[in-house]
Amino acid sequence: EAGVTQFPSHSVIEKGQTVTLRCDPISGHDNLYWYRRVMGKEIKFLLHFVKESKQDESGMPNNRFLAERTGGTYSTLKVQPAELEDSGVYFCASSQDLRVNYGYTFGSGTRLTVV
Amino acid sequence: AQSVTQLDSQVPVFEEAPVELRCNYSSSVSVYLFWYVQYPNQGLQLLLKYLSGSTLVKGINGFEAEFNKSQTSFHLRKPSVHISDTAEYFCAVTSGGGGKLIFGQGTELSVKP
């Protein structure tokens, strides 16, 4: 079974530019989560999709961040315009079921650097 | 609100020595607890989880953790570490129901020969 795939693995962009991160969850996983780790801080929740619907987007930092999951398969996270404080590692995770014992499978992350 | 505190940001240890990585949580509701590991250039991998039942939980790679409700702790232990255990370890909590994970700040374990 293929795992959760994220790309790009690294991205370096200038302040003010736009970047789009992509996450392909495990096939059949309805639940998709985005998390972010800013340098030296804890990993923080951004949002949760159930299929194509946003279940919880309480962690989205501001309206420069836009997440989509059209068709309930892969998801994109767009940052427009990017700011220096957006630098960090963005993780995606997916889960088959909302029951906690199913757990979450994480991708390798996208390291975003805004210069 | 839930929170997780990992008490040590870095833990250096010699190979074959025992190690304990400390994690405390706060929550007003029942919780489920996890330890994840991140090896260099890899994603987060689940080490072990506490959902219910026995408070001593065994995970992969010889790691175990003990849930202590009275002390609100979930410390991770391994009796003898290897060089390959060098990684960053994250404690996390959720109240379940598909809810988000709340992570601690991470502990870098560095195993030296």
Side-chain angles (χ1 to χ4, degrees):
Chain A
E1 161 180 274
V4 176
T5 305
Q6 292 185 247
F7 48 92
S9 56
H10 294 81
S11 180
V12 181
I13 62 170
E14 292 185 351
K15 176 182 172 181
Q17 289 186 322
T18 297
V19 63
T20 300
L21 313 181
R22 173 168 168 151
C23 169
D24 285 70
I26 292 173
S27 178
H29 281 198
D30 288 340
N31 297 278
L32 187 150
Y33 305 81
W34 283 98
Y35 289 84
R36 175 175 75 168
R37 189 184 192 196
V38 171
M39 178 83 73
K41 300 273 184 84
E42 66 271 27
I43 300 169
K44 283 195 171 180
F45 168 83
L46 295 178
L47 88 160
H48 169 204
F49 282 101
V50 177
K51 296 185 180 179
E52 66 274 10
S53 299
K54 291 176 185 174
Q55 180 78 10
D56 180 357
E57 52 183 330
S58 60
M60 293 288 266
N62 52 60
N63 59 9
R64 295 186 294 103
F65 289 75
L66 175 63
E68 295 180 321
R69 193 182 182 196
T70 307
T73 54
Y74 70 91
S75 174
T76 58
L77 180 65
K78 180 189 288 188
V79 185
Q80 180 182 30
E83 298 288 347
L84 298 179
E85 63 264 25
D86 300 331
S87 296
V89 181
Y90 290 76
F91 291 102
C92 175
S94 72
S95 173
Q96 180 178 358
D97 194 286
L98 289 179
R99 286 172 288 179
V100 69
N101 56 318
Y102 276 82
Y104 312 78
T105 302
F106 280 83
S108 300
T110 294
R111 182 174 296 278
L112 174 65
T113 302
V114 183
V115 297
Chain B
Q2 296 171 337
S3 67
V4 177
T5 302
Q6 291 183 242
L7 296 155
D8 306 293
S9 59
Q10 294 180 321
V11 174
V13 64
F14 287 107
E15 193 174 19
E16 296 184 7
V19 71
E20 179 180 78
L21 307 184
R22 297 178 293 170
C23 172
N24 285 91
Y25 69 93
S26 67
S27 177
S28 57
V29 299
S30 296
V31 295
Y32 305 97
L33 294 151
F34 303 78
W35 274 98
Y36 284 87
V37 59
Q38 185 180 22
Y39 299 103
N41 301 315
Q42 294 187 29
L44 294 167
Q45 180 181 357
L46 180 66
L47 268 181
L48 49 78
K49 59 190 175 188
Y50 172 78
L51 303 181
S52 64
S54 173
T55 57
L56 183 63
V57 180
K58 294 191 183 296
I60 62 172
N61 301 339
F63 283 93
E64 63 181 32
E66 184 152 20
F67 171 59
N68 188 319
K69 188 174 181 179
S70 62
Q71 297 187 4
T72 60
S73 66
F74 190 55
H75 300 335
L76 180 71
R77 293 191 289 259
K78 186 170 182 178
S80 176
V81 294
H82 302 136
I83 298 286
S84 59
D85 292 323
T86 294
E88 191 160 19
Y89 292 78
F90 296 91
C91 182
V93 63
T94 182
S95 55
K100 58 194 176 190
L101 288 170
I102 307 298
F103 284 89
Q105 295 91 334
T107 298
E108 290 185 24
L109 175 64
S110 175
V111 182
K112 304 177 187 305

